[in-house]
Amino acid sequence: QFLITESVVEMCTQEMASKCRHIDRVKLQVALKPLELHVIDLDHLALTVEVHPGYPLWNSRQRFRCRQHLEAEKNKKMSEQTQIVSYFDEDPDIQVMQQRFSMEFVHIFNMGFQNYSEGEWSIARRLLSRTRNMMGREDGPSSSLLKFMECYNHKAPDWWQGIRPLPASILEAQL
């Protein structure tokens, strides 16, 4: 899963933005306004590595041609005419990485997130508990929200306005 903020989602086309799952609203102590957090759900562990035994040793000419090819592919993807969302719709590897995130999973998570945001934490707990392990592996965003609610015994505090405060110590731990 790739964590991105609302400012990145706003730069995306509407089709690409629809591939992003809204997972939290957080307020950093150093920030003026809350951050809307999203993820792009891709499970890299779903891919299999193709092993091709007996690759020949490459000479410098072959390596140069390979670098040229990779550069041309990168430039093609960076072109303004390229619609990144088309890779999500057509690339077989991306489709494999998305399979685990079913419509049912996304629907239940969104209901849980909405209840979390609105302070209905008992309902959010029930829904997010379902999505936490629904796909055979732990869903990080579901677990994170459940752990936060657990700190308050799954009852929204009086100050709750749908925004989770993040203390500076979290940022320091990441650095």
Side-chain angles (χ1 to χ4, degrees):
Q1 295 173 327
F2 297 93
L3 182 65
I4 56 177
T5 63
E6 185 72 21
S7 59
V8 174
V9 174
E10 288 171 352
M11 291 189 295
C12 295
T13 63
Q14 190 171 8
E15 294 85 10
M16 188 64 213
S18 71
K19 307 284 185 194
C20 303
R21 176 167 51 124
H22 191 192
I23 61 164
D24 210 352
R25 287 180 194 90
V26 297
K27 175 77 168 75
L28 302 172
Q29 288 180 344
V30 296
L32 296 176
K33 63 181 193 170
L35 290 173
E36 303 285 338
L37 300 179
H38 299 258
V39 290
I40 297 177
D41 290 318
L42 295 172
D43 178 17
H44 69 280
L45 297 174
L47 296 174
T48 56
V49 177
E50 297 174 9
V51 179
H52 297 282
Y55 273 120
L57 294 175
W58 287 27
N59 61 34
S60 57
R61 179 180 169 87
Q62 290 168 317
R63 282 193 297 275
F64 177 73
R65 285 186 144 181
C66 183
R67 280 194 304 270
Q68 281 182 314
H69 173 73
L70 291 174
E71 186 68 22
E73 288 294 309
K74 182 179 88 171
N75 289 336
K76 186 171 84 175
K77 289 177 183 173
M78 298 301 287
S79 164
E80 289 192 25
Q81 290 79 29
T82 301
Q83 295 293 318
I84 296 299
V85 73
S86 67
Y87 289 98
F88 280 78
D89 296 334
E90 299 165 10
D91 186 281
D93 288 335
I94 292 178
Q95 290 176 347
V96 166
M97 290 189 286
Q98 289 178 319
Q99 279 179 339
R100 198 167 70 110
F101 302 95
S102 67
M103 291 301 290
E104 177 187 14
F105 166 81
V106 172
H107 181 69
I108 294 170
F109 178 87
N110 287 342
M111 289 189 306
F113 178 72
Q114 185 65 37
N115 280 282
Y116 159 81
S117 296
E118 297 294 326
E120 298 292 335
W121 285 10
S122 60
I123 298 168
R125 176 186 187 189
R126 184 171 40 85
L127 294 166
L128 295 171
S129 293
R130 284 180 61 194
T131 58
R132 174 189 264 171
N133 294 307
M134 185 177 196
M135 303 170 299
R137 271 186 235 132
E138 185 176 47
D139 176 54
S142 298
S143 293
S144 178
L145 297 178
L146 286 164
K147 286 176 189 172
F148 176 69
M149 290 187 294
E150 188 176 310
C151 293
Y152 296 93
N153 294 319
H154 300 99
K155 185 178 183 310
D158 294 337
W159 52 263
W160 182 251
Q161 295 180 350
I163 301 167
R164 176 165 47 142
L166 288 183
S169 60
I170 288 182
L171 294 176
E172 292 167 2
Q174 299 298 317
L175 298 176

